[in-house]
Structures are given as C-alpha cells and as structure tokens.
Amino acid sequence: MAIFIPEEKISEIKNAADIVDIVSESVLLKKAGKNYIGLCPFHSEKTPSFTVSPDKQIFHCFGCGTGGNVFSFLMKQEGLSFPEAARHLAKRYGVDVPDRPLSPEQKKKISERESLLDINRRAGGFYHQALKNSTAGQKARSYLSKRGISQKIIDDFKLGYAQDGWDHLLRFFTENRISSGLLEKSGLIIARKNKSGHYDRFRNRVIFPIFDVNMQVIGFGGRVLDDALPKYLNSPETVLYNKSRSLYGIHRAKDRCRATGTVFIVEGYLDLLALHQHGIENSVATLGTALTADHVKLLTRYARRMILVYDSDEAGIRSAQRCIATFWKEHVDFRREDVFSEDKADTHILVLPAGHDPDSYIFEYGPESFLEAASGSPGIITFLIDCAVRQHGLTTEGKIRIMSELQQPLAAINDPIAQAIYIQQLAERIGIAESAVLERIRTVAARKPGAKTFAVQKDAPSGTLPKTGQAASVAGAKGSPEVNIAIRFERQIITMMLQFPDILPEINRLNVLKYFENDDLESIGNMILKFNPTTADQVSELISRIENEAQQILIASLAMEDESWNKKGCLRLLGKFVETRRKLRNNGLLEEQIKAAEKRNDHSLLLTLLNKKQKMAERSEKHKMAILSKK
Ligand SMILES: [Zn+2]
C-alpha cells in the first residue's frame, strides 16, 4: 500500500516535532548563542560546523552546505522516504494519522499507482508459483540450481518463471478481471501490432522481480534459459519503474549497508544473488544502465563507502570515467563537498581476476577472498592512474598519453588537498616533476571558465564529463570568487525575503522576481510569495512545501545566518537591483536595434534610436530617485 499523509497532518507533525530533540538522538549538540552546534553527521570534520536553529526549526552545515528541516534530517540520516520520516515522527510525537478523503485527481493518480503495484505483486506471485510448483517450471528450477542459486535465495528474492507461450499471464489476469489497458501500462503485456489483443512480454524466462526500498515490486527482469536473445529483458519504463533510479536488491541490502557503511555495486541479477547467497548482503545491482546520480543519491542514504565491482579493467575504466562525472554532478546538485574526496566518500573500483565475474568468483573462491580483494581495492583515481600506467608504459610517449588521459579526472577533483595528493602520486608514479603535472592540470582548468567551482549544467547527461556553466553552481556556491555578482544580488534578495517578511509586499509591487536570472532562486522566491509568511520562523514550514532537495538545502543555508534588516536599506537594495536589471535588458534590446540600423545605413532610424537611448538613461535615473525617496 502506498503511504499517503494529508498535508494538514504534515503541519501537525512538524509543529509537534522538535528538531533539536531529533538531531540530538544521533549528534552531540552544544548550545552556541541562539543555536546548537555539533559535528556534522554528513561529512567528516573535527570542528563543529553543523548548526541547528530551534527558532527556525532548521539545520545547516557550514562545512558541507547541506541543510533542511526535521523531515530532511531524518530522510538523510536514517535513509527514510518523506512519508516514512513523517510516519516516524507522527508515532514518536503521538500524532494520529488517518487516511483522508482525496480529490478525484489525487484519487485517480494514487489509485492507478496502487493498481499497478497490485498487478505487479500478483504477477510476481504468479511467476513465483510457476517456478516452484509447475511442471513447466522444472527447466527453470534446474537452470537455477545449475547456477548454484539456493532455495532460500529463490524465496527471499521471490524469483519466478514465465512459461513458454503467448498469454499465460494475460489469461491469469483476464480471469481476475483486470483490464488489459491497465495491464499494458504495467508493461507486462504488449499490444499486438496491426491486430487487436495483447501478448505476454516475458516468455520462457527466469523472472527477477525488482523491489523498491519499501519492498514493493516496481518491475521485472527476465533471463532466457538457453542462448536465445536478448539474454535479459526488463520491464519498460512505467509509472513505477525507472531504471536510472532503481537498484536491484536494494530492499534486502539497505540494512546491511547501513550497518557496514559499505555497499557493493555489481551489474547483473545473478552476480547480485551470488553475493547475497554468500552473506555479502550489502550489495545491489544496476539494471542495464551506468550508475547515475540518482543511484548515488539513493545509496548515500545508506553507505559512504561504495565499491564498484567489474570483471575487467576496461569495464572498470569506462565506468570510473563515467562515475567521476556522476559523483561530480552529485556534488554540484547537493553541495556535498565531501562526495568526491576519496578518503571521505570512499569510492573504490574492484576489478576481479581475468575471466571472472562476481558470480563465478565467489563460487570459486568464497566470500572471504572476495572481501579481502575488496579491502585492497584502489580508490577511483588511484585505479585510473594504475590502469593508465599498465596500458601505456613509462616510455616518454607513454607518459604523455598517461598525462592526457588523467588531466581531466584530476582537474575534476574539487578538494584541493585531495587533488594535491593525487598530483603528487601521479608525478611520483610516472617520474616527472610535480610542477609539470600541476601546470598541465591548471591549463585544463583554465580552458574551462568556471571550472574551479565545478559548475555543471543541470541537464548534463550522466555519462559525459560535466560541462561548465553557471546554472547549477552559482545559487549554492557561497563566497566563492567565481560567483557571478548578479547572482549574489539574487541570493541576497531571497535571504531578505526569508528573514524579513515585511518586505514581501514591496517585492510584489516592484515585480522583483521577474528580473531574476537564476531559476532555482526565482522559483524559491515565488514559493515564498505564494506561502506569504508573516514571521521569519516559518522557514521550516516553507521547506516542507518544496520538493526539490537542492532548493530545500539552499533555503536552509540562506535562512540560517542572521542579518539585521531595515526597510530603508532593503528598498535601496531592491531599487538598485531592479534598475540595473531593467537597464541591462532595455540596453541589450536597444543596442541590437542600433547595430542593425548601422548595418543598414539607416541614418534616420539610427538617430531616433540614439535619442531613445539618451532618454532611457535619464528616465532610469529618475526611477532610481523615486524609489530612494520612498521609505
Ligand atoms: Zn556537513
């Protein structure tokens, strides 16, 4: 059953809960002025920069930049979903959460989701029964036993069998009066081309149901029993299933991941099952896609140390290159400065001896040997250095190739200390001067403006090295010299709106947000206007109304520092902002027209335009005076 909690209950829970109480359960807090401080649980530090404000009911870490309200804290710290965190708090503070009547639209959305979950659950049961009890299932049973899969694993992971034939599942559901339209949406059946009717997607395959963290079946994978193609077939993307967000085995791995702080990431169903069967339960598998930022985000809820397991150097290198981009993107999106640095976030690459995948390795050498190999696995950058040296050798030409292969990954490291260590490591390894390596890295960094802040466009596809751009980074980068001064202006205005709600009517009147360039800040500004708080201590409430995690973190960071505002100063700031932006926009337009007129040698138009330019300059001066004269 999907968990749904009515909005007014969320408010009630939020009002009952105390963030200092909740944080104190896992972080030792000391009083410091109005706030409490402690060592941040989300990055490693020696001096406390993790700050909790009891007045605003929010937390913010000045070290790693993360922040939010009591819900975000529980989600991050305990790896809970929002509804889970809300339930947890409701229970603790004795808030009764009944189901409430829903709008027809909500009902439809939720009921479709629920129906699809129900269909998946029943299909999973159908396949599982066929594997365990049917005569036809015999060949699947012997296939799995040949692969060494135990009965316990078959039951724990609810493995199944889809019989050979076009409509076994279809008939099962038709008998149970499930509409084919809904079934088609589940991806379990496919509409016939040019003909009416449907047929089963999975036929004569071992079935691996894919569960989410809440133990619900969101999709299926199917493997052939022989050499037929495709070897693996997965559910298509549905309302429930998205391969770039889902990880096979997460439902059975999460507790062990939390307990050990480590997660193994493999690439196949059978590899994953082999690890679990041998007691290495802190493992998950990607589903036919490279590790994405969403995967990393999901996994950081449970473990800091991630070990990616590959069957060859080549696969490892390809993935390591991609992962750097992924972790990098993750860093930019979530301001976790520690994600990249190896000793803190700890991303390792384990390449198994030639000819072995995790499945065959663990059956041949056992789990102890696997864990031992894992404990010696190099960090992601060390791995890349090792591979490059092995591949190109240490001739002069080899060294040049090594340098050109590694300059990008090294330039991508945003922690200067970590970067310095790797530069030193590489210089020593290939026997060239550290300053030469450093020079090379600097050239790469300099070629990309803004590369130092590791700006990345929000829509940069994972799998490519991030491009530079200011969109995502500027809103969060605090005090960095690269921060565009214009965005700093916008940040200041949002801070003002959060801490000094008296100014909101003026923001509205002057239409200030219309001039924003940063989308995150603009959207936060609009949320504040819509929410219309009357006092500054309603920040936590505001955070619960925002879904975008990066924006939540941004709000907490802007609201945390106390500045004293006065209306006159605020008006001056707003006036200056609007005036500058308006001028920029108008000038841009006018300049274009002037250029065009010059090009066409249209002297009379040119004269009119220049006149207009002059007048505009005068007007904006007047406008400025008008704003200043208001108090
Ligand atoms: Zn922190």
Side-chain angles (χ1 to χ4, degrees):
M1 195 196 70
I3 312 169
F4 182 81
I5 302 169
E7 206 173 301
E8 61 267 23
K9 278 292 160 189
I10 300 286
S11 292
E12 196 182 331
I13 295 166
K14 196 191 59 61
N15 292 335
D18 178 25
I19 192 165
V20 178
D21 267 6
I22 297 296
V23 173
S24 298
E25 283 174 7
S26 46
V27 180
L28 187 66
L29 290 176
K30 269 196 317 213
K31 188 107 174 109
K34 288 201 299 188
N35 298 334
Y36 289 84
I37 54 167
L39 292 174
C40 179
F42 306 114
H43 85 280
S44 74
E45 60 176 5
K46 292 201 176 73
T47 44
S49 47
F50 183 80
T51 311
V52 180
S53 160
D55 301 342
K56 295 170 186 156
Q57 289 289 308
I58 56 174
F59 72 96
H60 170 67
C61 173
F62 289 96
C64 66
T66 191
N69 61 10
V70 67
F71 297 108
S72 351
F73 180 80
L74 275 176
M75 287 160 73
K76 264 178 169 306
Q77 176 72 1
E78 304 297 325
L80 304 176
S81 66
F82 180 78
E84 285 169 343
R87 290 257 162 193
H88 175 94
L89 289 171
K91 211 164 150 195
R92 178 173 160 155
Y93 289 96
V95 177
D96 194 26
V97 182
D99 294 330
R100 71 154 188 183
L102 304 172
S103 76
E105 222 171 73
Q106 283 171 315
K107 250 187 207 156
K108 196 173 161 237
K109 213 168 149 195
I110 290 174
S111 83
E112 180 174 298
R113 241 190 94 85
E114 296 250 359
S115 307
L116 291 175
L117 283 170
D118 185 53
I119 285 174
N120 280 351
R121 190 181 51 76
R122 290 212 243 172
F126 177 80
Y127 291 139
H128 188 56
Q129 280 312 312
L131 176 70
K132 297 204 43 143
N133 304 321
S134 74
T135 330
Q138 180 52 44
K139 52 181 176 173
R141 289 196 289 277
S142 56
Y143 171 80
L144 287 172
S145 99
K146 223 170 37 206
R147 298 291 305 244
I149 300 297
S150 71
Q151 202 53 52
K152 181 169 186 311
I153 286 289
I154 290 177
D155 291 335
D156 283 353
F157 285 82
K158 298 273 177 296
L159 303 190
Y161 174 58
Q163 295 182 50
D164 210 359
W166 294 97
D167 59 359
H168 290 288
L169 187 75
L170 184 59
R171 268 187 287 146
F172 166 73
F173 277 117
T174 317
E175 279 159 24
N176 283 282
R177 296 181 186 183
I178 304 284
S179 82
S180 52
L182 205 52
L183 271 179
E184 200 182 324
K185 279 190 184 162
S186 77
L188 285 165
I189 61 167
I190 301 171
R192 289 184 187 280
K193 278 194 190 109
N194 312 321
K195 261 202 275 178
S196 64
H198 294 81
Y199 62 94
D200 289 358
R201 175 180 298 269
F202 298 104
R203 302 176 308 277
N204 196 22
R205 281 170 189 268
V206 173
I207 297 292
F208 306 90
I210 301 160
F211 290 83
D212 67 8
V213 284
N214 300 317
M215 312 286 284
Q216 312 194 88
V217 182
I218 51 171
F220 296 91
R223 191 203 191 282
V224 291
L225 303 171
D226 47 25
D227 293 328
L229 290 171
K231 197 151 113 183
Y232 286 97
L233 187 67
N234 286 334
S235 288
E237 305 276 299
T238 67
V239 174
L240 302 174
Y241 176 65
N242 175 324
K243 67 178 173 190
S244 58
R245 278 205 288 270
S246 311
L247 289 162
Y248 183 61
I250 186 78
H251 65 302
R252 299 208 57 100
K254 60 178 182 179
D255 291 344
R256 192 82 195 120
C257 288
R258 212 179 270 145
T260 57
T262 299
V263 58
F264 290 97
I265 303 158
V266 296
E267 289 186 308
Y269 297 105
L270 289 164
D271 287 332
L272 184 280
L273 295 179
L275 287 177
H276 276 256
Q277 184 164 326
H278 288 86
I280 304 176
E281 289 171 354
N282 47 330
S283 7
V284 297
T286 48
L287 292 152
T289 168
L291 199 67
T292 65
D294 282 330
H295 289 143
V296 174
K297 187 180 160 200
L298 175 64
L299 289 173
T300 46
R301 287 201 212 161
Y302 306 106
R304 313 207 114 250
R305 192 177 159 86
M306 298 186 194
I307 303 182
L308 298 119
V309 189
Y310 295 100
D311 55 6
S312 69
D313 272 0
E314 225 175 77
I317 294 169
R318 244 180 301 131
S319 157
Q321 301 271 19
R322 273 195 303 246
C323 280
I324 285 173
T326 302
F327 287 109
W328 187 359
K329 183 167 168 7
E330 178 71 359
H331 155 69
V332 171
D333 285 358
F334 302 100
R335 324 279 172 240
R336 297 183 43 135
E337 279 166 28
D338 54 342
V339 162
F340 196 83
S341 155
E342 279 192 347
D343 55 331
K344 293 174 190 156
D346 236 9
T347 308
H348 292 244
I349 304 271
L350 169 60
V351 174
L352 297 170
H356 278 295
D357 52 33
D359 179 26
S360 65
Y361 185 91
I362 206 148
F363 274 103
E364 192 165 336
Y365 300 105
E368 292 79 17
S369 164
F370 180 87
L371 290 174
E372 202 185 305
S375 72
S377 63
I380 198 164
I381 296 282
T382 310
F383 169 78
L384 286 176
I385 296 179
D386 289 349
C387 287
V389 170
R390 266 204 302 278
Q391 198 187 341
H392 302 299
L394 291 175
T395 59
T396 309
E397 277 192 359
K399 288 178 185 178
I400 293 170
R401 288 217 184 92
I402 293 170
M403 269 312 302
S404 68
E405 234 170 61
L406 284 163
Q407 60 190 24
Q408 293 287 2
L410 285 173
I413 302 173
N414 70 329
D415 178 343
I417 294 172
Q419 193 185 46
I421 292 171
Y422 290 121
I423 288 174
Q424 190 186 15
Q425 190 184 334
L426 176 63
E428 267 171 27
R429 189 75 192 276
I430 65 178
I432 59 175
E434 213 177 302
S435 57
V437 182
L438 193 63
E439 191 51 43
R440 187 68 173 265
I441 309 289
R442 283 216 182 109
T443 326
V444 178
R447 238 183 281 147
K448 309 169 154 199
K452 261 184 144 177
T453 54
F454 299 97
V456 67
Q457 277 157 6
K458 273 186 253 168
D459 53 357
S462 55
T464 57
L465 276 174
K467 297 174 190 69
T468 53
Q470 46 176 239
S473 76
V474 274
K478 198 175 52 166
S480 144
E482 277 84 3
V483 173
N484 183 332
I485 198 155
I487 305 298
R488 215 153 58 198
F489 229 155
E490 293 173 11
R491 285 172 59 92
Q492 207 173 354
I493 291 170
I494 297 296
T495 311
M496 178 200 299
M497 292 172 73
L498 286 166
Q499 300 185 352
F500 187 56
D502 287 5
I503 203 69
L504 296 180
E506 295 297 328
I507 302 269
N508 241 331
R509 189 178 66 79
L510 293 169
N511 234 329
V512 175
L513 298 175
K514 198 176 80 182
Y515 298 97
F516 271 41
E517 275 166 17
N518 182 281
D519 294 344
D520 275 334
L521 291 169
E522 186 187 345
S523 131
I524 291 174
N526 280 316
M527 282 297 297
I528 301 174
L529 287 182
K530 202 169 136 208
F531 177 50
N532 199 15
T534 46
T535 55
D537 57 11
Q538 287 166 287
V539 182
S540 161
E541 176 81 38
L542 178 69
I543 290 175
S544 354
R545 291 172 184 233
I546 287 180
E547 277 174 21
N548 180 316
E549 191 185 348
Q551 290 182 6
Q552 294 179 344
I553 290 173
L554 186 54
I555 293 178
S557 92
L558 294 178
M560 185 57 90
E561 270 173 306
D562 276 315
E563 289 173 46
S564 50
W565 300 95
N566 65 71
K567 196 153 184 186
K568 207 167 168 187
C570 288
L571 278 173
R572 191 177 306 134
L573 182 80
L574 293 175
K576 199 170 156 213
F577 175 77
V578 170
E579 184 221 334
T580 323
R581 289 293 162 96
R582 188 180 290 167
K583 209 152 74 187
L584 272 175
R585 283 190 191 180
N586 287 340
N587 279 354
L589 194 69
L590 199 58
E591 286 309 329
E592 267 172 36
Q593 290 173 322
I594 291 174
K595 261 188 212 146
E598 274 171 351
K599 224 180 190 173
R600 286 200 310 268
N601 269 324
D602 187 340
H603 290 287
S604 72
L605 179 62
L606 192 58
L607 204 65
T608 324
L609 290 172
L610 288 172
N611 241 325
K612 198 168 161 192
K613 192 176 167 183
Q614 169 81 22
K615 276 201 183 119
M616 258 170 66
E618 284 163 12
R619 242 202 332 259
S620 80
E621 192 60 27
K622 268 187 209 150
H623 180 79
K624 189 169 143 193
M625 299 312 288
I627 288 173
L628 286 180
S629 65
K630 285 197 167 73
K631 33 178 185 353

